[in-house]
PDB file of all heavy atoms in Angstrom:
ATOM      1  N   VAL I1195     -83.527 -33.637  -5.853  1.00 49.00           N
ATOM      2  CA  VAL I1195     -83.624 -34.943  -6.016  1.00 49.00           C
ATOM      3  C   VAL I1195     -84.499 -35.439  -7.047  1.00 49.00           C
ATOM      4  O   VAL I1195     -85.573 -34.850  -7.085  1.00 49.00           O
ATOM      5  CB  VAL I1195     -83.961 -35.649  -4.547  1.00 49.00           C
ATOM      6  CG1 VAL I1195     -84.026 -37.097  -4.818  1.00 49.00           C
ATOM      7  CG2 VAL I1195     -83.015 -35.223  -3.487  1.00 49.00           C
ATOM      8  N   PHE I1196     -84.073 -36.371  -7.901  1.00 49.00           N
ATOM      9  CA  PHE I1196     -85.026 -36.926  -8.880  1.00 49.00           C
ATOM     10  C   PHE I1196     -85.069 -38.422  -8.878  1.00 49.00           C
ATOM     11  O   PHE I1196     -84.066 -39.039  -8.409  1.00 49.00           O
ATOM     12  CB  PHE I1196     -84.730 -36.258 -10.242  1.00 49.00           C
ATOM     13  CG  PHE I1196     -83.412 -36.715 -10.785  1.00 49.00           C
ATOM     14  CD1 PHE I1196     -83.139 -37.782 -11.467  1.00 49.00           C
ATOM     15  CD2 PHE I1196     -82.297 -35.767 -10.555  1.00 49.00           C
ATOM     16  CE1 PHE I1196     -81.811 -37.924 -12.081  1.00 49.00           C
ATOM     17  CE2 PHE I1196     -81.049 -35.976 -10.863  1.00 49.00           C
ATOM     18  CZ  PHE I1196     -80.816 -37.151 -11.825  1.00 49.00           C
ATOM     19  N   ARG I1197     -86.176 -38.995  -9.273  1.00 51.00           N
ATOM     20  CA  ARG I1197     -86.296 -40.459  -9.218  1.00 51.00           C
ATOM     21  C   ARG I1197     -86.325 -40.863 -10.736  1.00 51.00           C
ATOM     22  O   ARG I1197     -86.916 -40.238 -11.519  1.00 51.00           O
ATOM     23  CB  ARG I1197     -87.706 -40.842  -8.726  1.00 51.00           C
ATOM     24  CG  ARG I1197     -87.900 -42.237  -8.638  1.00 51.00           C
ATOM     25  CD  ARG I1197     -89.128 -42.443  -7.665  1.00 51.00           C
ATOM     26  NE  ARG I1197     -89.321 -43.685  -7.293  1.00 51.00           N
ATOM     27  CZ  ARG I1197     -88.537 -44.461  -6.505  1.00 51.00           C
ATOM     28  NH1 ARG I1197     -87.504 -43.921  -5.978  1.00 51.00           N
ATOM     29  NH2 ARG I1197     -88.860 -45.729  -6.040  1.00 51.00           N
ATOM     30  N   ILE I1198     -85.533 -41.778 -10.978  1.00 51.00           N
ATOM     31  CA  ILE I1198     -85.288 -42.289 -12.374  1.00 51.00           C
ATOM     32  C   ILE I1198     -85.956 -43.706 -12.441  1.00 51.00           C
ATOM     33  O   ILE I1198     -85.680 -44.582 -11.696  1.00 51.00           O
ATOM     34  CB  ILE I1198     -83.781 -42.301 -12.702  1.00 51.00           C
ATOM     35  CG1 ILE I1198     -83.196 -40.987 -12.772  1.00 51.00           C
ATOM     36  CG2 ILE I1198     -83.570 -43.099 -14.146  1.00 51.00           C
ATOM     37  CD1 ILE I1198     -81.723 -40.914 -13.244  1.00 51.00           C
ATOM     38  N   MET I1199     -86.764 -43.813 -13.558  1.00 52.00           N
ATOM     39  CA  MET I1199     -87.357 -45.098 -13.861  1.00 52.00           C
ATOM     40  C   MET I1199     -86.522 -45.689 -15.002  1.00 52.00           C
ATOM     41  O   MET I1199     -86.441 -45.038 -16.004  1.00 52.00           O
ATOM     42  CB  MET I1199     -88.828 -45.008 -14.150  1.00 52.00           C
ATOM     43  CG  MET I1199     -89.663 -44.531 -12.994  1.00 52.00           C
ATOM     44  SD  MET I1199     -89.801 -45.695 -11.625  1.00 52.00           S
ATOM     45  CE  MET I1199     -90.644 -47.014 -12.394  1.00 52.00           C
ATOM     46  N   HIS I1200     -85.998 -46.886 -14.767  1.00 51.00           N
ATOM     47  CA  HIS I1200     -85.225 -47.436 -15.831  1.00 51.00           C
ATOM     48  C   HIS I1200     -86.177 -48.314 -16.653  1.00 51.00           C
ATOM     49  O   HIS I1200     -87.277 -48.751 -16.254  1.00 51.00           O
ATOM     50  CB  HIS I1200     -84.092 -48.328 -15.362  1.00 51.00           C
ATOM     51  CG  HIS I1200     -83.121 -47.576 -14.639  1.00 51.00           C
ATOM     52  ND1 HIS I1200     -82.159 -46.899 -15.232  1.00 51.00           N
ATOM     53  CD2 HIS I1200     -83.010 -47.317 -13.241  1.00 51.00           C
ATOM     54  CE1 HIS I1200     -81.359 -46.335 -14.178  1.00 51.00           C
ATOM     55  NE2 HIS I1200     -82.071 -46.470 -13.046  1.00 51.00           N
ATOM     56  N   ARG I1201     -85.897 -48.681 -18.055  1.00 51.00           N
ATOM     57  CA  ARG I1201     -86.564 -49.472 -18.892  1.00 51.00           C
ATOM     58  C   ARG I1201     -86.855 -50.860 -18.251  1.00 51.00           C
ATOM     59  O   ARG I1201     -87.933 -51.402 -18.448  1.00 51.00           O
ATOM     60  CB  ARG I1201     -85.867 -49.500 -20.241  1.00 51.00           C
ATOM     61  CG  ARG I1201     -86.808 -50.471 -21.225  1.00 51.00           C
ATOM     62  CD  ARG I1201     -86.041 -50.802 -22.455  1.00 51.00           C
ATOM     63  NE  ARG I1201     -85.656 -49.475 -23.190  1.00 51.00           N
ATOM     64  CZ  ARG I1201     -85.067 -49.519 -24.380  1.00 51.00           C
ATOM     65  NH1 ARG I1201     -84.756 -50.497 -25.030  1.00 51.00           N
ATOM     66  NH2 ARG I1201     -84.829 -48.341 -24.903  1.00 51.00           N
ATOM     67  N   ASP I1202     -85.871 -51.324 -17.553  1.00 52.00           N
ATOM     68  CA  ASP I1202     -86.070 -52.664 -16.986  1.00 52.00           C
ATOM     69  C   ASP I1202     -86.854 -52.711 -15.703  1.00 52.00           C
ATOM     70  O   ASP I1202     -86.999 -53.779 -15.092  1.00 52.00           O
ATOM     71  CB  ASP I1202     -84.687 -53.319 -16.647  1.00 52.00           C
ATOM     72  CG  ASP I1202     -83.767 -52.559 -15.631  1.00 52.00           C
ATOM     73  OD1 ASP I1202     -84.372 -51.558 -14.972  1.00 52.00           O
ATOM     74  OD2 ASP I1202     -82.701 -52.834 -15.439  1.00 52.00           O
ATOM     75  N   GLY I1203     -87.355 -51.573 -15.364  1.00 53.00           N
ATOM     76  CA  GLY I1203     -88.345 -51.499 -14.250  1.00 53.00           C
ATOM     77  C   GLY I1203     -87.644 -51.097 -12.803  1.00 53.00           C
ATOM     78  O   GLY I1203     -88.272 -50.817 -11.938  1.00 53.00           O
ATOM     79  N   GLY I1204     -86.350 -50.937 -12.767  1.00 54.00           N
ATOM     80  CA  GLY I1204     -85.600 -50.606 -11.702  1.00 54.00           C
ATOM     81  C   GLY I1204     -85.766 -49.000 -11.520  1.00 54.00           C
ATOM     82  O   GLY I1204     -86.002 -48.281 -12.443  1.00 54.00           O
ATOM     83  N   SER I1205     -85.499 -48.540 -10.322  1.00 53.00           N
ATOM     84  CA  SER I1205     -85.501 -47.102 -10.175  1.00 53.00           C
ATOM     85  C   SER I1205     -84.617 -46.751  -8.992  1.00 53.00           C
ATOM     86  O   SER I1205     -84.059 -47.680  -8.317  1.00 53.00           O
ATOM     87  CB  SER I1205     -87.035 -46.647  -9.812  1.00 53.00           C
ATOM     88  OG  SER I1205     -87.401 -47.172  -8.527  1.00 53.00           O
ATOM     89  N   GLY I1206     -84.481 -45.438  -8.789  1.00 53.00           N
ATOM     90  CA  GLY I1206     -83.688 -45.007  -7.655  1.00 53.00           C
ATOM     91  C   GLY I1206     -83.704 -43.543  -7.532  1.00 53.00           C
ATOM     92  O   GLY I1206     -84.182 -42.794  -8.429  1.00 53.00           O
ATOM     93  N   ASN I1207     -83.449 -43.007  -6.349  1.00 52.00           N
ATOM     94  CA  ASN I1207     -83.493 -41.618  -6.073  1.00 52.00           C
ATOM     95  C   ASN I1207     -81.886 -41.118  -6.279  1.00 52.00           C
ATOM     96  O   ASN I1207     -81.015 -41.762  -5.677  1.00 52.00           O
ATOM     97  CB  ASN I1207     -83.967 -41.191  -4.718  1.00 52.00           C
ATOM     98  CG  ASN I1207     -85.346 -41.510  -4.612  1.00 52.00           C
ATOM     99  OD1 ASN I1207     -86.178 -41.224  -5.485  1.00 52.00           O
ATOM    100  ND2 ASN I1207     -85.806 -41.980  -3.514  1.00 52.00           N
TER     101      ASN I1207
END
Side-chain angles (χ1 to χ4, degrees):
V1195 177
F1196 58 94
R1197 186 166 191 68
I1198 294 180
M1199 297 292 293
H1200 300 275
R1201 184 188 297 185
D1202 63 5
S1205 67
N1207 289 325

